[in-house]
Amino acid sequence: MKPIQLISPVDGSVYAERMPLTHEAATEAVARAKAAQKAWAARPLAERIALVKAGVARLNEMKDIIVEELAWQMGRPTRFGGEFGGVNARSDYMAEIAEQTLAPTMVEDGPAFRRYLAREPVGVVFIIAPWNYPYLTTINTLVPALIAGNSVVLKHASQTLLVGERLAEAFHAAGIPADVFQNVVLDHATTEALIGARSFGFINFTGSVAGGAAIERAAAGTFTGLGLELGGKDPGYVRADANLEAAVDTLMDGALFNAGQCCCGIERIYVHESLYDAFVEKAVAWAKGLTLGNPFDAASTLGPMANKRFAKVVRDQIAEAVAAGAKPLIDPKDFPADDGGAYLA
């Protein structure tokens, strides 16, 4: 079994290295999660909510180190301060609606029948989290899963190995039992074997279409619930009556923030012919206003892509488009930090 390495896009160094669990150790971890779940679900809802909110608060206390680690792991400039705005807002919202959302729904309460829909935990929730918004995407499932009385096993992306460790550190420090929330390092083979063995009550995966297909194959016949958020092709449309400045600013930010590595990032823009030329001119100027550079430099508004192989995919797409007749409007020479590797103009 080989160690899983996290190669930093900042300088190409090995930033972290972890050994994945053996199949036996992973199976034992799942067994502990199953054993701990019933006692966790038996706790009062208010207590579970308070512990989860305390875990998020502990995470906030680590902000400075987390922002630095994020830059090393996936290249986002430190000037953006991590993902705490979204993490806190979504955690607060899910905690706020929990009591009403989880309450039984009465269908009929009469002299002969009392019919209602009750909501029960699914058991062990397995989160396979991505590297592009590694805290926010995990929180989206972790918070409601724990509040609803489930135990959670988290496998984070190899590009953001330390994120799962920080989340576990924060939530355990807040008082959530270690077996109720476990961060694990797994290889693909062990992950697929666990899924195929019906180890989980629900699986949440955010990532590529190919990754989602692999999980569907592994889960085939198990009837395990799957939540898959996979790669999209998100369009923007600029109407004839649009505010041009606002449209350019919103859509270009949507396309290029986080070095374009967003689940809902803008990938196509359709512009009404009356605004087309002006939109293109302003969009090019907007892009040229970015500063590509080391994510620890306060002037950098664009960091490296998370891995040089991701940047190669984009360069290949650009080359293919130009070969097919597209007109390049950005000269990489205008971005001296473009090194042909993870730093991409």
Side-chain angles (χ1 to χ4, degrees):
M1 188 170 278
K2 296 180 179 178
I4 293 177
Q5 291 187 331
L6 190 174
I7 308 299
S8 173
V10 176
D11 59 5
S13 65
V14 177
Y15 183 64
E17 184 175 272
R18 300 289 185 271
M19 284 299 297
L21 295 180
T22 63
H23 183 270
E24 293 74 18
T27 302
E28 290 171 5
V30 172
R32 292 196 303 273
K34 286 183 177 178
Q37 184 266 325
K38 283 187 169 52
W40 173 250
R43 296 197 188 196
L45 175 60
E47 184 179 324
R48 296 198 303 268
I49 292 172
L51 285 168
V52 168
K53 291 183 74 171
V56 175
R58 289 277 189 157
L59 194 69
N60 276 263
E61 293 172 8
M62 305 177 187
K63 180 175 180 178
D64 290 345
I65 186 65
I66 281 174
V67 170
E68 180 181 334
E69 286 177 348
L70 274 176
W72 281 111
Q73 290 177 95
M74 48 76 67
R76 186 184 301 134
T78 55
R79 66 181 288 150
F80 297 118
E83 301 158 31
F84 286 93
V87 163
N88 295 334
R90 293 188 190 185
S91 298
D92 288 344
Y93 174 72
M94 289 184 282
E96 180 183 323
I97 67 169
E99 184 175 0
Q100 180 180 352
T101 303
L102 296 172
T105 301
M106 190 62 63
V107 179
E108 178 184 353
D109 192 4
F113 295 100
R114 186 165 188 255
R115 296 188 296 140
Y116 62 94
L117 300 174
R119 292 170 174 81
E120 297 183 354
V122 296
V124 182
V125 173
F126 186 35
I127 302 174
I128 307 173
W131 49 263
N132 64 337
Y133 282 87
Y135 283 96
L136 185 58
T137 51
T138 304
I139 285 291
N140 283 344
T141 306
L142 176 62
V143 165
L146 289 174
I147 287 177
N150 303 285
S151 56
V152 173
V153 175
L154 167 65
K155 174 200 175 300
H156 223 297
S158 58
Q159 193 65 49
T160 40
L161 278 174
L162 302 188
V163 171
E165 295 178 6
R166 289 296 180 192
L167 283 163
E169 179 185 346
F171 278 60
H172 295 162
I176 292 174
D179 288 344
V180 169
F181 172 35
Q182 298 179 59
N183 173 65
V184 296
V185 178
L186 303 174
D187 60 20
H188 292 316
T190 302
T191 300
E192 292 174 14
L194 289 174
I195 293 172
R198 288 186 72 180
S199 301
F200 310 106
F202 188 81
I203 299 164
N204 175 258
F205 170 75
T206 307
S208 69
V209 173
I215 289 167
E216 279 203 324
R217 286 193 296 270
T222 68
F223 303 104
T224 305
L226 302 179
L228 306 176
E229 183 190 342
L230 311 178
K233 293 297 294 181
D234 308 296
Y237 173 47
V238 182
R239 296 179 4 154
D241 60 350
N243 178 319
L244 191 60
E245 298 290 343
V248 169
D249 190 51
T250 301
L251 292 173
M252 292 305 291
D253 186 56
L256 298 183
F257 183 74
N258 208 37
Q261 302 167 132
C262 298
C263 306
C264 52
I266 293 294
E267 297 192 41
R268 295 171 289 154
I269 302 175
Y270 299 96
V271 184
H272 189 273
E273 59 187 352
S274 65
L275 298 179
Y276 183 83
D277 291 337
F279 183 93
V280 171
E281 180 182 351
K282 289 179 181 295
V284 170
W286 194 101
K288 287 182 176 179
L290 294 173
T291 300
L292 175 67
N294 187 298
F296 297 103
D297 186 340
S300 297
T301 54
L302 189 67
M305 296 191 73
N307 192 294
K308 64 182 180 182
R309 73 177 186 274
F310 303 150
K312 182 182 184 305
V313 169
V314 178
R315 287 190 177 92
D316 289 347
Q317 289 173 334
I318 293 169
E320 181 184 2
V322 172
K327 181 181 176 183
L329 300 176
I330 301 290
D331 187 345
K333 293 187 179 65
D334 292 337
F335 292 84
D338 188 327
D339 61 353
Y343 290 84
L344 172 66

